[in-house]
Amino acid sequence: MTKEHICIIYGGKSAEHEVSLLTAQSVINAMDKERYAIDTIYITNDGEWLKGPAITQVIEDSETLRLSESDGQSVSDMLNKSTTGHKYDAVFPLLHGPNGEDGTIQGLFEVLDIPYVGNGVLAASSSMDKLVMKQLFATRGLPQLPYVSFLKSEYEAHKENIISLVEGKLTYPVFVKPANLGSSVGISKCTNTEGLKQGIEEALQFDRKLVIEQGVVAREVEVAVLGNETPETTLPGEVVKDVDFYDYKSKYVDGQVKLQIPADISPEIQTTLRDMAIEAFKATDCSGLVRADFFLTEDEKIYINETNAMPGFTKFSMYPLLWENMGKSYSELITDLINLAKARYNDKKNIKYKMD
């Protein structure tokens, strides 16, 4: 069988660089080596692109993916030809956070006319920016918790006014979040004014725009979405926490969370969550994959929290486990994503770009 040529791109100039390494290790190890010829491109924390050797064996330690020597190729050359001189059937970006899942690298792939796994420019950028995402959810009538958003410059000029605005619109506890990061980086749970100020200062280290959300006593449930024009969903899963909230360390280092798959909820609520996940997918014009995250209160009120356009694929990750519960293995899921990327690319080839 002729192998398909796939390039895994990971690392990135982002606070989520380490998450990307773990995700790349998991994906590479799960790929069918008989079906795919796998190349790698590592993007350093400084933004340098380094082409790695072809991968034929299991990656035992994610640190071996941290490359250090450049072969002098330009970025376009790296993306246009495999290590064996073939054109890539698809590239698979496993980049989290800014410069990875925010539409920037997707735009590069579009300009270079390369098939790529995951969401397109608009979907990636709007899913990355929590404020834009919330505004798009509102157009679909998806229920959300109250929130306040502001820029760093606004906060520096009007600190006390913004604190008053937050405390006037929301009640403690509140969650302070950088607008353009995931994996719980820079997020703080705040229970009083002093904590709020500290949380804002922490989050502003990671972004110029913040979103402060109303806290709620609720279960955290998630639905995986897969597809292009006709997406499919999984049964919901629940994040059961042994910690106050699901931060970066508990997600990726300590494993201080348990995933209950499927979640113990009624069939009616399951259906509602799956329908809302598709609405969220369509609201941001997604394709490929999305994980939709919700809050479910004791009286069965549902609030959408966010969509993640590039959920991680580590051993603690919800997304592949949700599909495994539906009978789709991790390896099969990766193959489906590559096939969806090729299908979207071929569909776009049928679009006219000039007048006759």
Side-chain angles (χ1 to χ4, degrees):
M1 180 176 66
T2 302
K3 290 186 177 182
E4 295 182 39
H5 296 270
I6 307 298
C7 185
I8 305 296
I9 305 175
Y10 61 94
K13 192 176 179 180
S14 165
E16 297 176 75
H17 186 96
E18 306 304 320
V19 180
S20 179
L21 290 176
L22 294 172
T23 306
Q25 178 189 14
S26 296
V27 169
I28 290 169
N29 288 347
M31 291 180 72
D32 182 353
K33 307 300 188 296
E34 297 298 316
R35 178 168 184 166
Y36 299 114
I38 306 168
D39 284 350
T40 57
I41 293 176
Y42 172 57
I43 304 176
T44 71
N45 256 320
D46 294 325
E48 183 181 7
W49 289 51
L50 304 175
K51 187 74 171 276
I55 302 292
T56 59
Q57 303 294 325
V58 169
I59 304 296
E60 299 290 350
D61 184 354
S62 63
E63 284 300 309
T64 62
L65 293 170
R66 200 186 297 272
L67 307 178
S68 59
E69 295 184 8
S70 172
D71 60 4
Q73 290 189 72
S74 68
V75 171
S76 60
D77 285 342
M78 290 183 196
L79 291 170
N80 279 321
K81 286 186 180 180
S82 71
T83 53
T84 55
H86 294 84
K87 183 176 181 180
Y88 286 117
D89 293 280
V91 296
F92 199 150
L94 297 172
L95 301 161
H96 298 286
N99 305 304
E101 58 178 314
D102 60 355
T104 50
I105 199 166
Q106 290 78 11
L108 174 64
F109 300 146
E110 293 284 353
V111 170
L112 294 177
D113 194 29
I114 299 171
Y116 59 96
V117 171
N119 286 282
V121 175
L122 173 63
S125 58
S126 59
S127 295
M128 191 70 230
D129 189 307
K130 292 179 177 63
L131 177 60
V132 174
M133 178 172 56
K134 287 176 178 297
Q135 292 167 338
L136 290 172
F137 288 164
T139 67
R140 290 272 176 166
L142 292 167
Q144 303 177 73
L145 290 166
Y147 65 91
V148 172
S149 181
F150 52 86
L151 300 176
K152 180 179 182 179
S153 59
E154 294 171 333
Y155 181 70
E156 290 175 340
H158 308 286
K159 288 185 180 181
E160 295 307 317
N161 288 345
I162 286 178
I163 295 296
S164 296
L165 173 65
V166 172
E167 293 183 332
K169 186 172 182 179
L170 311 178
T171 58
Y172 291 109
V174 298
F175 287 86
V176 180
K177 301 181 179 182
N180 288 281
L181 274 180
S183 296
S184 300
V185 173
I187 294 180
S188 300
K189 180 180 180 179
C190 307
T191 58
N192 54 46
T193 302
E194 186 58 33
L196 175 61
K197 292 178 179 179
Q198 292 175 1
I200 290 172
E201 295 296 338
E202 169 71 11
L204 286 174
Q205 296 181 57
F206 297 98
D207 200 358
R208 57 181 280 277
K209 184 195 297 184
L210 303 189
V211 172
I212 301 182
E213 299 174 349
Q214 176 65 61
V216 65
V217 177
R219 299 161 67 183
E220 295 181 32
V221 290
E222 302 178 351
V223 177
V225 187
L226 177 71
N228 288 339
E229 298 296 319
T230 55
E232 299 177 347
T233 62
T234 64
L235 291 171
E238 181 175 358
V239 179
V240 183
K241 304 182 293 295
D242 293 331
V243 289
D244 195 26
F245 75 100
Y246 195 25
D247 64 4
Y248 178 93
K249 191 168 183 284
S250 61
K251 277 185 178 181
Y252 298 105
V253 180
D254 296 336
Q256 289 181 295
V257 294
K258 296 177 182 177
L259 306 181
Q260 183 172 331
I261 303 172
D264 183 16
I265 53 181
S266 70
E268 293 78 14
I269 294 296
Q270 288 180 352
T271 299
T272 300
L273 288 165
R274 296 175 78 172
D275 289 345
M276 289 174 66
I278 289 180
E279 284 299 308
F281 186 92
K282 292 179 177 179
T284 48
D285 193 29
C286 290
S287 56
L289 74 167
V290 153
R291 193 194 69 230
D293 301 349
F294 300 91
F295 296 121
L296 176 63
T297 66
E298 188 175 1
D299 58 356
E300 296 193 332
K301 290 182 179 178
I302 300 171
Y303 301 97
I304 188 163
N305 180 24
E306 62 183 4
T307 51
N308 189 323
M310 187 58 244
F313 279 76
T314 73
K315 61 184 178 181
F316 298 126
S317 296
M318 176 74 89
Y319 188 89
L321 294 176
L322 286 169
W323 282 111
E324 185 177 275
N325 179 64
M326 304 297 288
K328 190 186 296 292
S329 73
Y330 194 16
S331 180
E332 290 170 335
L333 177 60
I334 291 167
T335 296
D336 284 353
L337 287 168
I338 292 171
N339 288 338
L340 286 166
K342 294 188 296 181
R344 181 184 60 192
Y345 177 81
N346 291 332
D347 285 345
K348 290 189 72 172
K349 283 295 184 183
N350 293 324
I351 296 174
K352 292 178 66 174
Y353 291 99
K354 61 182 180 179
M355 300 296 292
D356 292 332

